[in-house]
Amino acid sequence: LSWVYTLGASWGVPGTDRNPAKGVPLRPVHNHREVFLTEDQIATLMQALAASPNRELQPFVQLSILLGTRKNELVQAVWADVDLERRQLRIPPHLAKNGKERHIPLSQTAIGILEKLPRRGPWLLPNPKTQKPYVSFYHAWDTARKAAQVPHCRWHDLRHTAASLMASQGQSL
């Protein structure tokens, strides 16, 4: 209601100059949920991804879980930002949520995945049809997560899973 009056006042709608809801405290909304996949769920998801016709989806998910990147950081990742010698992936400022460059350590498993990827242009995992970053792979992801019986798992939950796995292994986030 407060927002309706605020908009009305900004649009000059008569009768909205006084907001009767102003000052009324909002109740907290407890709709935040975090999903962490178990090792069994990850294994089942990997099986579903292996069966997916989208061949890039499995390495996307594997790297997301291993590195804890945001989806866009991985979709837009380029080979120039992969430093195998230093074992790190650079997230440039324009991709980072806070606008600051950061470097993500690469485990041997992540390096193994990267070394198996075909190099088809500047992007790590380009869409094979366009050779540009994916705009969306929601359908393939949705199919795989339902097949793995984790339909509640959102892409961002892979980031939560990565953090949970790192913390359980005593690693610094």
Side-chain angles (χ1 to χ4, degrees), residues 65-76:
I65 291 172
L66 288 167
L67 305 178
T69 57
R70 291 178 177 86
K71 181 168 63 171
N72 194 48
E73 293 171 344
L74 201 50
V75 168
Q76 297 290 327

Side-chain angles (χ1 to χ4, degrees), residues 86-125:
R86 291 189 177 138
R87 300 173 59 101
Q88 63 185 14
L89 171 65
R90 174 183 169 265
I91 304 298
H94 72 278
L95 293 180
K97 186 175 178 178
N98 65 2
K100 296 181 181 177
E101 175 179 294
R102 73 179 198 282
H103 295 85
I104 300 172
L106 296 174
S107 67
Q108 192 57 48
T109 305
I111 289 172
I113 293 167
L114 291 169
E115 288 177 338
K116 289 179 186 173
L117 294 178
R119 293 193 183 218
R120 299 181 307 231
W123 292 280
L124 291 186
L125 291 158

